[in-house]
Amino acid sequence: GHVMRCLTLADELRQRGAAVTFICREHPGNLCELIEERGYLVRRLVHPPAEYFHREDNLSYAPSLAVPWQQDAEETAAILPNGCVDWLIVDHYALDRRWEEHLRTHVSKIVVIDDLSDRPHDCDLLLDQNLYIDMVGRYNGLVPESCQKLLGPRYALLRPEFVQARNQLRQRDGQVQRILVFFGGVDPSNETGKALHALIALNLQGVAVDVVVGGGNPHKNEVKTICETNGFCYHCQVSSMAELLASADLAIGGGGTTTWERCALGLPSLVMVVADNQRELVQYGAQAGFCFSLGEAADLSAEEVSIAVRFALRSPETLRHLAEQCLVTVDARGCSRVATLLFPPRIMIRRAVPEDCDSIYDWRNAEETRSYIFNATPIPLEMHRQWYHNSLNNPSRLLLIGEHEGKPVGVLRYDLDGAYALVSVYLVPGTQGQGIGTELIRNGSAWLHRHYPSVDTVKAEIFRENFASLRAFEAAGYREHHLVFHDCLKD
């Protein structure tokens, strides 16, 4: 789970132009080769010999770290090029403030990904994508006051395939024709097998079952045999998880990171606690209404799982409610939000000049632009040229161009009225979906503040259906003020 969410963030950062390197210790069952197959450089730390763990003076060290934290920090520091690392992203339950302080002088900033809140950290940004009752105060006293905290599933690190699948998502009606079973990449206690025996006991007719296991699952051969014997679809180490989740009507699984994948696609689920760090999330998820909690996996029998599945099959209205709450909880765009904070597009703002006239005409008249502006009618070129000439000579109007690496990416227009300004924004066609909108708006506001300090209020008018613009303005610091309904009735 740690590796996969880091890979998801790495992919997003790489797409934005960042150079990403992984540092991993060669634990048994490590995923270094998988990371390398995804095109990343992996700097490997050697796993100590077996006799190391029998030494009495090492009994206090976390087995997941394999060596004393000082040694791990020194080996990591030896890999890092001094002064050349913008962000060191740490995703490890056995590391804390001592390790992070040791690496401070080797990097510019540190990100910690955590969900335990059980140890102090020295970091500039902390990410906890889970949901708890006391999210706001969860890390009080554990991180510096200056640390920026990204808390909750709004920042869940989901792959782009989940955004695409969500955009094409069907309406769920609460009827169950397909069940998905997935308990993470390893599943050491074989909860997958327990769930399958529960389904076999129900003798379901007309219900397909997809079973997903990770390549590191020690019980995968046994699971495969059960699937082949009972007509279930067996999947090992899949790359199409979003497709499987979108196709399912009910899921059975654990309370790990897959929770947010299920929520993003509105999939009702029966969830077991299979690790200590899942307990609070599963309990709160049941209270919030986006999953059924079956309790501790160790205390559950296959018969009890069967009873829960039977109840779900007979409760379509409840499943519809769960699906709705899932979609409200997670929008699948968390990875983009995090990447924008770590590696924002470097957008420069300049005034528009006469030579920009025809380019702005093409951008404004593009279909993807007109879909989300109030006057969606194409404008004749000569009319645009006259408007453009008047705008450049109007002291109450500002036309600005945002550029990234010397190429235009968006247009900002500010209509000024004393201390007040109305802004309208659109991106150059082809630049959507890259996190540019938020940075364009934010940098435009900063430019306006520098050059027109008397303006203290900026207003934007946006279609309610234009979710991308709503998110971009919200991320740039804007807040919804009021909602206007337009009368669309014709005589």
Side-chain angles (χ1 to χ4, degrees):
H2 296 269
V3 170
M4 297 312 296
R5 67 186 179 189
C6 284
L7 273 172
T8 298
L9 181 56
D11 287 346
E12 183 73 25
L13 290 169
R14 181 168 62 179
Q15 181 181 339
R16 295 165 183 251
V20 182
T21 298
F22 280 76
I23 302 175
C24 304
R25 192 168 295 280
E26 294 181 311
H27 294 285
N30 68 79
L31 298 177
C32 293
E33 291 185 4
L34 172 64
I35 300 171
E36 290 170 338
E37 288 172 3
R38 294 276 286 268
Y40 294 101
L41 173 64
V42 179
R43 302 300 301 271
R44 303 182 183 220
L45 303 179
V46 176
H47 190 74
E51 58 267 20
Y52 180 93
F53 296 99
H54 297 290
R55 290 170 49 193
E56 199 169 300
D57 59 340
N58 285 317
L59 293 178
S60 62
Y61 299 117
S64 60
L65 195 57
V67 298
W69 71 264
Q70 298 96 326
Q71 179 180 338
D72 191 274
E74 290 168 2
E75 292 177 1
T76 302
I79 289 174
L80 296 173
N82 273 336
C84 297
V85 176
D86 296 310
W87 289 98
L88 175 62
I89 301 173
V90 186
D91 190 355
H92 203 303
Y93 289 153
L95 300 177
D96 59 20
R97 180 169 60 200
R98 299 168 301 173
W99 186 95
E100 293 145 10
E101 287 176 344
H102 191 91
L103 274 298
R104 262 293 173 196
T105 59
H106 298 268
V107 300
S108 297
K109 293 183 178 181
I110 296 176
V111 180
V112 168
I113 301 177
D114 193 17
D115 48 39
L116 299 181
S117 67
D118 64 347
R119 61 204 189 282
H121 292 291
D122 177 22
C123 56
D124 302 279
L125 187 150
L126 181 132
L127 167 63
D128 185 339
Q129 63 184 8
N130 288 329
L131 193 59
Y132 307 98
I133 295 174
D134 181 27
M135 280 303 300
V136 176
R138 187 170 170 79
Y139 289 92
N140 287 350
L142 296 179
V143 297
E145 289 189 8
S146 59
C147 174
Q148 183 175 5
K149 292 178 282 189
L150 307 183
L151 305 176
R154 173 178 170 78
Y155 301 100
L157 300 177
L158 302 183
R159 299 185 297 280
E161 66 186 79
F162 288 92
V163 178
Q164 298 165 9
R166 184 184 175 100
N167 291 338
Q168 303 167 1
L169 199 61
R170 61 190 168 88
Q171 184 73 36
R172 298 188 185 277
D173 60 6
Q175 301 298 322
V176 178
Q177 297 180 336
R178 196 168 203 98
I179 296 175
L180 175 69
V181 178
F182 178 53
F183 282 88
V186 181
D187 187 19
S189 58
N190 197 18
E191 301 307 322
T192 303
K194 181 190 297 181
L196 295 185
H197 287 299
L199 294 176
I200 292 169
L202 289 172
N203 191 27
L204 299 174
Q205 300 297 317
V207 178
V209 177
D210 287 299
V211 183
V212 179
V213 298
N217 188 318
H219 311 283
K220 61 185 178 183
N221 291 333
E222 175 189 341
V223 169
K224 183 178 181 181
T225 299
I226 295 174
C227 290
E228 292 174 344
T229 303
N230 293 276
F232 301 155
C233 299
Y234 173 83
H235 309 268
C236 182
Q237 200 66 43
V238 299
S239 59
S240 56
M241 197 65 194
E243 181 181 339
L244 290 170
L245 290 168
S247 299
D249 303 300
L250 178 68
I252 306 173
T257 56
T258 312
T259 298
W260 308 128
E261 296 177 350
R262 296 188 295 252
C263 280
L265 300 182
L267 178 59
S269 55
L270 306 175
V271 184
M272 307 177 196
V273 177
V274 298
D276 291 342
N277 63 309
Q278 298 178 6
R279 187 169 296 110
E280 192 175 353
L281 168 60
V282 174
Q283 291 172 352
Y284 183 75
Q287 293 175 21
F290 59 78
C291 71
F292 280 120
S293 171
L294 301 186
E296 304 289 330
D299 299 332
L300 281 171
S301 66
E303 182 180 359
E304 290 170 317
V305 177
S306 290
I307 293 171
V309 173
R310 186 182 296 113
F311 168 78
L313 295 176
R314 295 174 178 175
S315 308
E317 292 185 3
T318 302
L319 294 187
R320 283 200 300 270
H321 174 74
L322 286 176
E324 292 169 0
Q325 288 302 113
C326 284
L327 292 173
V328 169
T329 303
V330 182
D331 68 1
R333 298 183 181 274
C335 193
S336 177
R337 292 189 181 97
V338 176
T340 297
L341 288 169
L342 300 184
F343 198 78
R346 290 168 171 79
I347 295 176
M348 304 298 294
I349 304 295
R350 64 169 176 83
R351 287 182 182 269
V353 296
E355 290 76 16
D356 295 314
C357 178
D358 287 6
S359 294
I360 290 179
Y361 168 78
D362 292 336
W363 304 333
R364 188 271 176 205
N365 268 5
E367 184 176 353
E368 53 261 61
T369 303
R370 290 188 290 105
S371 299
Y372 294 109
I373 60 178
F374 289 99
N375 179 11
T377 305
I379 297 175
L381 179 57
E382 289 306 316
M383 184 183 296
H384 166 79
R385 286 173 173 169
Q386 184 61 49
W387 171 89
Y388 190 80
H389 173 79
N390 293 340
S391 294
L392 291 186
N393 291 283
N394 182 353
S396 297
R397 173 167 292 167
L398 293 171
L399 285 179
L400 306 177
I401 306 289
E403 292 186 340
H404 175 51
E405 296 182 346
K407 297 179 180 179
V409 294
V411 179
L412 298 132
R413 188 186 83 197
Y414 293 95
D415 290 311
L416 309 178
D417 185 6
Y420 165 87
L422 175 66
V423 62
S424 63
V425 180
Y426 57 84
L427 300 180
V428 173
T431 62
Q432 291 86 352
Q434 302 176 29
I436 286 173
T438 297
E439 195 67 14
L440 178 67
I441 296 165
R442 186 183 290 125
N443 288 7
S445 299
W447 188 98
L448 185 68
H449 179 71
R450 287 196 306 272
H451 293 85
Y452 291 83
S454 61
V455 175
D456 59 18
T457 302
V458 180
K459 175 183 175 183
E461 297 178 347
I462 309 168
F463 277 131
R464 171 64 62 178
E465 296 81 6
N466 190 352
F467 299 114
S469 288
L470 289 170
R471 286 190 295 266
F473 273 95
E474 181 186 45
Y478 283 67
R479 294 294 175 264
E480 182 177 304
H481 187 268
H482 62 274
L483 182 65
V484 176
F485 293 91
H486 293 277
D487 185 359
C488 297
L489 298 178
K490 297 182 179 179
D491 293 337

